[in-house]
């Protein structure tokens, strides 16, 4: 079967089906003598659940980042909720239910209550309550956490994984994951790449019917292929591939501590995309020379309220300090589209990707935007920080955002708080309309960064997360090439530098095209950095320019792809 190759690497292991659990208790009526005992069992289980959650929270904080860990603190509060505990205790005392039944009934009661509420945020709590309920029930039954029981060669198979599911994957035991839903740019895929776990997503729901627990599975995160119960021939083919992949990784390590340069010695910036503080170290390990995109929305996700200025400042400062002199481009809140914040009241939209999102929302709600601008400015005092606005479509938007930035600076000055007065500011170019007015936009900023994930989505009218039409979401389409080339040229005509932080920046085939078009900075998932550094060394800007010019004359995505494949073969 073939899905979308979401995170590179190869794994051979045993499937672990992550099913959505249904709460089910062994029901038993108890007699009066047993009441105390059941109450005690319930209390112990609740305490143990809190302890488990605290450990998971700590572990997630270490492995991924404080933002992702936040959800487990919310879960602890649910376990300790006095009202729910009271309902359970009364069930045991008055209705003579055993602890399991009292728990399940209380959880059901609260979960349906939440599900029935108007508020979207409260509705989303339903899943949390059930999740917590399952945890306590499992403890009551004397079973241990599935995570601890995973065999060493687990391949997690699920309908979808939330960012917090992904964050919790035990990297020592989980070799790969495979999901029925999702796309290359969905957030679980992005996190898989930063954790370095191979992943294939978007296989379609039918796929789940085919899999059984404990099946042998091959996951090819490079091609998107999945083999269930493979024969000996396939297995041996993939054992060889796995070995070759390991060797390739070792070979690429030589580029870790060398600067990215073209064959004739021109330095080019090869930097990485991160989603949270925990991604910094893996990026440095992979030889990243800076951060071209810090997706700050992860700081806002999986929690109950907005992070304040202080909390954001701490996170941004941590990243800025860890990167030393390397540039750190912090993108302001890019929420909406496929990234929802349940605690922010947002009206239902027919087309969320074309809706009230990113800079549009931020300009409309300066009380959300300002604290972030101030937090980023404050962090600029501690490193080489730059700021970037997402989803810019008009000149007014940039001017308005810059005005708020100036206000934020004034307020910090009044508060006597230091920041870098020269901090660069830039915009993402991810709306085709913005390309058409790029020269005017460049008057307002210090740099552009091309966001191809969205730019392709809007240029080709193709939902970036819809696997059925994924063939249209191609960086090789002539329209996309022209948009990229024009953005770089417009920026350079006005003496600003131009980078790229969409997935296309790490695309091996596209590399000479981008280099030849004059791209100054390539920002990608950590896993692509070493290979792109190597490939850059095969080209001079001049040679690459010939590729760019020739590619721009081609008429279909297929022609472009074939041409670039040819070029890659000849480059050394
Ligand atoms: C993009 O759109 O290319 C981009 C880098 O932003 P995101 O993937 O976070 O939308
Ligand atoms: Mg985008």
């Amino acid at each position: 079967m073939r899905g979308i190759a979401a995170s590179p690497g190869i794994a051979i292991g045993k499937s672990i089906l992550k099913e959505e659990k249904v709460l089910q208790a062994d029901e038993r009526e108890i007699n009066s003598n047993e009441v105390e005992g059941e109450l005690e069992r319930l209390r112990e289980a609740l305490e143990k659940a809190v302890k488990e959650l605290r450990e998971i929270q700590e572990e997630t904080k270490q492995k991924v980042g404080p933002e992702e860990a936040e959800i487990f603190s919310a879960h602890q509060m649910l376990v300790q909720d006095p009202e729910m505990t009271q309902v359970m205790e009364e069930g045991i005392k008055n209705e003579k239910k055993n602890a399991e039944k009292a728990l399940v009934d209380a959880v059901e009661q609260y979960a349906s209550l939440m599900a029935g509420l108007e508020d979207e945020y409260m509705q989303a709590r339903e899943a949390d309550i059930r999740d917590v309920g399952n945890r306590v029930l499992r403890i009551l039954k004397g079973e241990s956490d599935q995570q601890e029981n995973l065999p060493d060669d687990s391949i997690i198979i699920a309908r979808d994984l939330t960012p917090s599911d992904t964050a919790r994957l035990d990297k020592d035991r989980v070799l790969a994951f495979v999901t029925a839903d999702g796309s290359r740019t969905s957030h679980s895929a992005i996190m898989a790449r930063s954790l370095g776990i191979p992943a294939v997503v978007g296989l379609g729901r039918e796929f789940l019917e085919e899999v059984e627990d404990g099946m042998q599975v091959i996951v090819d995160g490079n091609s998107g292929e999945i083999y269930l119960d493979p024969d000996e021939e396939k297995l041996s083919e993939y054992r060889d591939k796995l070995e070759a992949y390991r060797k390739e990784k070792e070979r690429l390590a030589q580029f870790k501590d060398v600067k990215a340069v073209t064959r004739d010695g021109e330095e080019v910036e090869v930097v990485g995309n991160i989603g949270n503080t925990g991604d910094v170290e893996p990026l440095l390990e992979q030889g990243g020379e800076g951060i071209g995109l810090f997706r700050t929305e992860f700081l806002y996700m999986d929690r109950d309220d907005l992070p304040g200025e202080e909390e954001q400042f701490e996170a941004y400062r941590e990243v800025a300090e860890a990167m030393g002199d390397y540039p750190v481009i912090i993108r302001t809140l890019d929420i909406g589209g496929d990234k929802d914040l349940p605690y922010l009241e947002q009206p239902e939209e027919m087309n969320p990707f074309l809706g009230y999102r990113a800079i549009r929302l931020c300009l409309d709600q300066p009380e959300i935007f300002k604290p972030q601008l101030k937090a980023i400015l404050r962090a600029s005092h501690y490193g080489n920080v730059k700021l970037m606005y997402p989803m810019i479509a008009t000149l007014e938007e940039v001017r308005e955002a810059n005005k708020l930035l100036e206000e934020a600076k004034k307020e910090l000055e009044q508060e006597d708080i230091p920041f870098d007065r020269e901090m660069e500011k830039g915009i993402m170019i991810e709306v085709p309309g913005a390309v058409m007015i790029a020269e005017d936009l460049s008057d307002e900023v210090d740099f552009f960064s091309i966001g191809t994930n969205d730019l392709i989505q809007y240029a080709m009218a193709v939902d970036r997360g819809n696997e059925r039409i994924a063939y249209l979401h191609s960086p090789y389409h002539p329209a996309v090439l022209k948009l990229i080339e024009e953005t770089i040229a417009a920026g350079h005509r006005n003496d600003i530098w131009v980078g790229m932080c969409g997935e296309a920046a790490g695309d091996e085939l596209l590399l000479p095209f981008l280099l030849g078009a004059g791209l100054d900075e390539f920002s990608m998932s950590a896993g692509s950095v070493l290979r792109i550094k190597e490939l850059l060394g095969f080209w001079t800007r001049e040679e690459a320019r010939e590729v760019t010019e020739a590619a721009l004359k081609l008429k279909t995505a297929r022609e472009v792809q074939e041409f670039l494949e040819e070029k890659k073969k000849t480059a050394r």
Side-chain angles (χ1 to χ4, degrees), residues 185 187 190 273 293 295 297-298 331 334 338-339 353 357 388 390-391 428-430 449-456 458 464 500-504:
T185 49
H187 286 91
I190 288 170
N273 298 345
L293 169 64
R295 290 183 164 96
E297 48 279 7
F298 284 101
R331 175 175 75 182
D334 183 11
D338 63 340
K339 294 173 262 182
F353 273 116
R357 56 170 298 200
M388 175 160 80
M391 283 292 296
M428 289 195 66
I429 298 287
E430 44 188 351
S449 184
I450 306 173
T452 46
N453 307 340
D454 279 316
L455 186 62
I456 300 172
Y458 297 126
R464 64 193 261 184
M500 177 178 284
C501 59
E503 290 301 320

Side-chain angles (χ1 to χ4, degrees), residues 300 309 312 316 332 359 362-363 366 368-380 387-389 400-409 412 419 423:
Y300 290 70
E309 176 189 319
Q312 292 190 57
Y316 303 152
T332 61
I359 196 72
C362 286
L363 292 177
I368 295 178
F369 197 30
K370 264 283 195 62
Q372 181 171 44
L373 293 176
K374 287 173 84 172
I376 297 172
L377 279 166
R378 286 172 62 187
S380 70
L387 176 146
M388 175 160 80
Y389 309 123
E400 181 65 21
N402 279 342
K403 203 173 112 208
L404 288 168
L405 183 65
E406 287 310 310
E407 280 176 31
K409 287 183 185 170
L412 289 178
F419 63 91
M423 181 184 73

Side-chain angles (χ1 to χ4, degrees), residues 398-465:
V398 193
R399 289 186 177 150
E400 181 65 21
N402 279 342
K403 203 173 112 208
L404 288 168
L405 183 65
E406 287 310 310
E407 280 176 31
K409 287 183 185 170
K410 278 223 180 69
E411 286 172 27
L412 289 178
E413 263 162 17
Q414 275 158 10
E415 294 163 51
D416 242 348
I417 298 178
F419 63 91
D420 174 10
R421 270 156 231 277
E422 308 300 318
M423 181 184 73
E424 283 189 25
K425 54 185 186 295
I427 57 173
M428 289 195 66
I429 298 287
E430 44 188 351
V431 178
V435 180
M436 307 304 288
I437 56 164
E439 257 192 77
D440 291 331
L441 291 170
S442 67
D443 287 336
E444 313 292 325
V445 290
D446 304 299
F447 66 90
F448 287 158
S449 184
I450 306 173
T452 46
N453 307 340
D454 279 316
L455 186 62
I456 300 172
Q457 157 163 273
Y458 297 126
M460 302 304 297
V462 52
D463 180 340
R464 64 193 261 184

